[in-house]
Amino acid sequence: MPDDAQIGDCDKLLVWCQILADDGLPPYTHAVNYLRDGIWEFKIGAKRLSFYDTPGDGSYTPKAKIRDRDEAVNDDEFWWFPDFDPEIRLGFAFPKMGPKALPNDIATSFKVREEDLSHDV
């Protein structure tokens, strides 16, 4: 990918992170995707960046995509997005190589989360 496009995508990602931090919601529906076990991803083209939430004390409670609108916290277009803990942390960046995230990329996202949380205690 040309360098200029990569710079633009980086700027977009930073803005999306700020929107999530300020509003507690993604910038738009397809900007994020739930992977599994509390790991989410920002999506920009074929680029992915995992993230997760934590109260900041070395723990986490996995937040999944809400499947039933009756269990939703919000009653708007983002009803499926959970109410995250106060800290959102970025994890592992990886390219999307097929229709789904590769198991190795998800496993690395888990390792990054565990290592990051170990520094809180």
Side-chain angles (χ1 to χ4, degrees):
M1 193 166 215
D3 288 342
D4 289 348
Q6 300 232 22
I7 291 168
D9 286 348
C10 181
D11 289 342
K12 259 191 232 180
L13 179 62
L14 292 173
V15 169
W16 291 359
C17 290
Q18 189 64 54
I19 290 169
L20 182 59
D22 291 343
D23 302 338
L25 296 171
Y28 64 93
T29 300
H30 298 292
V32 299
N33 188 42
Y34 179 63
L35 295 175
R36 71 171 210 255
D37 298 327
I39 298 287
W40 290 72
E41 66 180 359
F42 284 110
K43 307 182 312 183
I44 299 179
K47 297 173 207 70
R48 301 295 188 259
L49 177 60
S50 69
F51 68 94
Y52 63 95
D53 69 320
T54 177
D57 62 2
S59 69
Y60 69 93
T61 302
K63 310 288 188 315
K65 182 176 183 177
I66 299 168
R67 302 279 182 203
D68 184 351
R69 195 172 193 132
D70 291 335
E71 297 174 13
V73 176
N74 303 320
D75 190 28
D76 57 21
E77 68 180 300
F78 297 107
W79 64 266
W80 50 270
F81 199 74
D83 187 22
F84 282 133
D85 288 328
E87 293 185 19
I88 304 297
R89 300 215 181 144
L90 301 177
F92 175 65
F94 55 94
K96 184 176 179 191
M97 304 299 286
K100 294 188 177 224
L102 297 175
N104 287 346
D105 292 330
I106 295 173
T108 301
S109 296
F110 291 147
K111 285 181 188 176
V112 168
R113 176 175 62 189
E114 293 305 316
E115 180 181 331
D116 179 51
L117 291 172
S118 73
H119 294 282
D120 287 347
V121 290

